[in-house]
Amino acid sequence: MRFDKNNHLEWNIDEEPISFPKKIRVIYEKIFIKNRIKFTNWLHKFNKRYRLDIDWWMTLPPTRDPYKSYLLNYFCVIDTIKEIKSKKLKVKTKSKDFAEILVNKFNVLSEVKNKESFFSINLINNFIKSIFFQFVIFLYINTFIKRKEINRRKIGLIDIFVTVNKKQNDNFYSKINKKKSSIEYFFVPTFIPTYNIFKIFGVINDLDKEGADYLFKEHYLKLNDLLFAFFHVFRKKKFIKNDYYYNQINISKIINNEIKSNNDFNSIFIGILNYRFFYRISKNNLNVQKTINWFENQMVDKGWNLGFRHFFKKFENNSYGNQDYSKHYNMINNSPSESEELAKVVPKNIIIISSLFTKTSKEFYKSQKIQLGKSWRFKKLSKLKISLSKKNKKKYLLVLSGIKKIDKILLDLVANISSKLGKIKIFVKPHPILNIEKIINKNILPDNIIVINEDLQKTLINTKVVITSGPSSTILESSKLKTHLILPNIEAATYQNVL
């Protein structure tokens, strides 16, 4: 435990629970488990009030994503402080407004560290990158790619994400088998922003050459839709109010700060364009009778599902959310809530890859329709398993999750013990969505920690021990291949609830 010079117990609430004082962590984790539903129910009032407003769903509070919104953490901190009733507590946070709440309501000593900024260089860069990218892709597709003639055919739309990494693009679905369905399906790509514009042009050209399997949103969107998405930054001011309360404590300032946040502007932009896409194709009389959304219940998904279910009401029961991944207990947003269903921002049907995820998927909405489906992403695992006995498993592998805070802790833990490992090498597999250089300078890593970019499943064949944490499907892959797992308990109440 850490104490300041006046013997105050120090608690940095912005860190992961692994760094909390032990006695605080025990209380915090019990409260965290209870507050999952309590927090979701608290949002119900506001979700109901703004249920048909796409702009509300493009703000941070209703995301329920604990890696983007701090609200669940703040609620747990408030309830934890109430329970411990310590007068010798010093709380550190980067939120000036939350620090004021703690001082005024609980007389807790607070210290604001690294005050959060709404205008950081990274934020401005991401803002510009997203706008520039979407406008360039819009212009390129409408100039150089011929629009497909759909006419009055019955069609289904499948949501996919496309990057400059072609191997990664193959992780979503197999090719469409047009002979087995009365509905003609099309993949609808969302392009992940990059400054490598010419590479993404090449990817678009390749998709177009593959034939009739791809339908580009940009062919139906208009310039006004892109401007509409951009002006969300001004329209969302209508949600800034002074009536946000939790346990009779006015928390309006911290709610309003999250509403004003543009930290995930690219998701906002895409989410609104998804919504407008369905509006446009409804005006073009496309006969869309079914959609399959890659469903993580993020802003992009809410825009997709609200668009289809609102503008194609007749077929809204044919909205599906594919969850071809291992569900992480702390990602409460992956499981729909009742208010999200009432607002039609989630699919009617959720497809999961294991019956073990049924309970979690219905945690916040008991009537959620669930289907058990086959996994495309993990289809190779059974084939790899056959050759296990023939392999000499030697590698020690650290697999990162793509969540910067968690990955930094994992790298620090491994770096700290590296000198005690002798000749043992630890290989590090970064997550494709997060460049390791954004977490740590590779040049300062010890010599026996080696960064690799090989195919994960193939690497696991030769792996003796896997170290990972956070929302990582590596846990599922490693257990299937009977690889030893080390799971540092970094977050709140994670593994005891799912393993």
Side-chain angles (χ1 to χ4, degrees):
M1 294 190 190
R2 289 168 294 186
F3 294 87
D4 69 4
K5 61 183 180 180
N6 295 316
N7 205 33
H8 286 90
L9 179 61
E10 293 186 336
W11 178 18
N12 188 333
I13 64 168
D14 299 323
E15 292 180 345
E16 291 295 334
I18 193 174
S19 301
F20 289 0
K22 187 175 181 180
K23 74 173 187 177
I24 288 179
R25 181 175 187 177
V26 170
I27 297 169
Y28 179 94
E29 290 195 334
K30 289 179 181 177
I31 289 171
F32 174 85
I33 294 170
K34 293 178 183 176
N35 277 11
R36 291 161 61 87
I37 292 178
K38 186 179 179 181
F39 170 61
T40 301
N41 291 340
W42 179 87
L43 277 169
H44 183 89
K45 171 185 174 182
F46 307 104
N47 288 349
K48 186 178 179 182
R49 181 190 295 175
Y50 305 123
R51 65 186 181 280
L52 295 179
D53 194 329
I54 184 63
D55 287 321
W56 169 250
W57 299 106
M58 298 300 115
T59 63
L60 283 181
T63 64
R64 294 188 298 127
D65 184 339
Y67 301 118
K68 294 176 181 177
S69 168
Y70 295 109
L71 295 183
L72 176 56
N73 179 43
Y74 290 155
F75 286 16
C76 292
V77 169
I78 288 172
D79 292 343
T80 300
I81 291 175
K82 276 185 175 180
E83 186 160 329
I84 60 177
K85 298 175 182 176
S86 174
K87 294 182 179 179
K88 284 284 188 176
L89 182 64
K90 181 179 182 179
V91 172
K92 294 183 178 181
T93 176
K94 61 185 177 183
S95 171
K96 178 176 177 290
D97 294 321
F98 190 60
E100 287 180 2
I101 290 173
L102 298 182
V103 171
N104 295 333
K105 293 296 179 182
F106 302 104
N107 199 26
V108 170
L109 187 64
S110 296
E111 179 182 340
V112 179
K113 301 274 288 184
N114 302 319
K115 184 180 174 183
E116 57 189 351
S117 171
F118 290 102
F119 299 102
S120 67
I121 298 298
N122 283 338
L123 177 59
I124 295 170
N125 177 57
N126 290 335
F127 192 83
I128 295 172
K129 179 180 178 181
S130 179
I131 295 172
F132 170 78
F133 182 83
Q134 297 298 342
F135 273 90
V136 169
I137 294 300
F138 173 80
L139 292 172
Y140 182 83
I141 289 176
N142 280 289
T143 303
F144 297 104
I145 306 297
K146 185 179 178 182
R147 176 168 149 174
K148 292 180 176 64
E149 294 299 325
I150 305 296
N151 300 322
R152 295 296 298 165
R153 287 174 283 175
K154 297 178 183 178
I155 65 172
L157 301 180
I158 304 172
D159 166 44
I160 61 167
F161 292 88
V162 174
T163 72
V164 293
N165 185 336
K166 293 182 181 180
K167 281 187 177 180
Q168 189 178 334
N169 296 338
D170 293 334
N171 283 340
F172 289 92
Y173 299 99
S174 62
K175 290 188 180 296
I176 295 170
N177 187 338
K178 295 183 179 293
K179 296 179 181 179
K180 289 188 175 182
S181 176
S182 60
I183 295 178
E184 186 172 2
Y185 288 95
F186 294 89
F187 291 123
V188 180
T190 291
F191 300 99
I192 304 302
T194 174
Y195 281 128
N196 201 335
I197 291 295
F198 292 104
K199 262 198 173 182
I200 206 73
F201 288 167
V203 171
I204 293 171
N205 292 336
D206 290 342
L207 295 182
D208 188 48
K209 289 174 185 175
E210 288 187 23
D213 286 355
Y214 290 88
L215 185 148
F216 296 102
K217 288 181 283 189
E218 289 77 8
H219 278 146
Y220 297 90
L221 293 169
K222 298 183 182 297
L223 185 59
N224 283 346
D225 297 316
L226 275 71
L227 294 173
F228 179 80
F230 170 76
F231 283 111
H232 164 81
V233 298
F234 303 106
R235 292 194 306 272
K236 65 182 178 179
K237 291 179 181 179
K238 60 192 168 186
F239 306 121
I240 296 175
K241 301 181 183 298
N242 197 39
D243 65 344
Y244 297 108
Y245 282 82
Y246 175 69
N247 285 354
Q248 298 181 325
I249 299 172
N250 191 321
I251 58 169
S252 297
K253 284 186 177 180
I254 60 174
I255 300 293
N256 291 337
N257 283 341
E258 291 219 342
I259 290 170
K260 288 186 279 186
S261 172
N262 290 308
N263 283 343
D264 199 17
F265 182 74
N266 185 61
S267 293
I268 295 169
F269 210 99
I270 294 172
I272 294 175
L273 291 182
N274 279 343
Y275 176 77
R276 298 290 291 185
F277 165 65
F278 281 101
Y279 166 72
R280 292 298 178 191
I281 61 176
S282 70
K283 295 297 182 184
N284 277 265
N285 296 317
L286 265 66
N287 190 13
V288 183
Q289 298 194 3
K290 185 175 180 180
T291 63
I292 302 174
N293 169 225
W294 184 270
F295 183 62
E296 297 178 9
N297 207 6
Q298 301 286 357
M299 293 174 183
V300 293
D301 306 310
K302 288 180 168 70
W304 174 282
N305 292 301
L306 180 59
F308 176 65
R309 294 185 63 183
H310 182 67
F311 296 113
F312 293 86
K313 290 185 175 72
K314 184 178 177 182
F315 299 105
E316 66 171 305
N317 286 338
N318 293 337
S319 57
Y320 291 81
N322 187 24
Q323 296 193 323
D324 190 0
Y325 51 84
S326 179
K327 297 190 76 165
H328 183 57
Y329 182 74
N330 284 10
M331 295 277 297
I332 66 172
N333 55 300
N334 286 167
S335 301
S337 69
E338 182 178 359
S339 61
E340 289 167 347
E341 163 57 30
L342 290 172
K344 303 185 178 186
V345 295
V346 294
K348 269 289 186 182
N349 313 277
I350 306 297
I351 304 168
I352 56 176
I353 59 173
S354 171
S355 57
L356 294 173
F357 301 141
T358 302
K359 183 179 178 181
T360 303
S361 299
K362 292 188 170 189
E363 181 179 3
F364 309 108
Y365 179 47
K366 302 301 181 187
S367 299
Q368 177 62 55
K369 294 180 180 178
I370 302 293
Q371 294 185 16
L372 190 61
K374 292 182 179 179
S375 172
W376 170 255
R377 288 181 69 201
F378 305 117
K379 66 185 185 302
K380 297 178 183 177
L381 283 178
S382 57
K383 295 179 182 178
L384 293 173
K385 196 173 180 179
I386 296 171
S387 61
L388 278 176
S389 59
K390 302 176 184 178
K391 298 291 181 180
N392 189 8
K393 298 164 77 72
K394 294 180 179 179
K395 278 186 178 178
Y396 290 79
L397 181 67
L398 171 64
V399 182
L400 303 183
S401 67
I403 305 299
K404 187 174 180 180
K405 282 171 64 176
I406 294 173
D407 290 347
K408 180 66 167 65
I409 292 170
L410 285 171
L411 286 166
D412 288 343
L413 287 172
V414 170
N416 289 338
I417 64 168
S418 62
S419 61
K420 301 175 184 178
L421 298 177
K423 295 182 180 180
I424 294 176
K425 295 178 180 178
I426 296 182
F427 295 89
V428 179
K429 177 72 171 72
H431 195 281
I433 68 168
L434 183 61
N435 190 321
I436 194 169
E437 291 287 355
K438 292 185 178 180
I439 309 169
I440 195 169
N441 184 345
K442 286 194 294 186
N443 296 326
I444 67 171
L445 289 172
D447 293 337
N448 58 340
I449 296 181
I450 302 165
V451 178
I452 60 172
N453 285 295
E454 301 166 8
D455 179 82
L456 178 59
Q457 291 182 4
K458 290 180 181 178
T459 303
L460 286 172
I461 298 175
N462 302 318
T463 297
K464 182 177 182 180
V465 176
V466 168
I467 307 164
T468 193
S469 191
S472 173
S473 290
T474 305
I475 299 171
L476 171 64
E477 294 165 297
S478 300
S479 59
K480 283 274 189 181
L481 296 173
K482 301 199 182 301
T483 303
H484 296 295
L485 268 169
I486 297 176
L487 303 172
N489 198 4
I490 293 172
E491 301 176 274
T494 304
Y495 301 115
Q496 60 263 44
N497 290 282
V498 292
L499 296 180

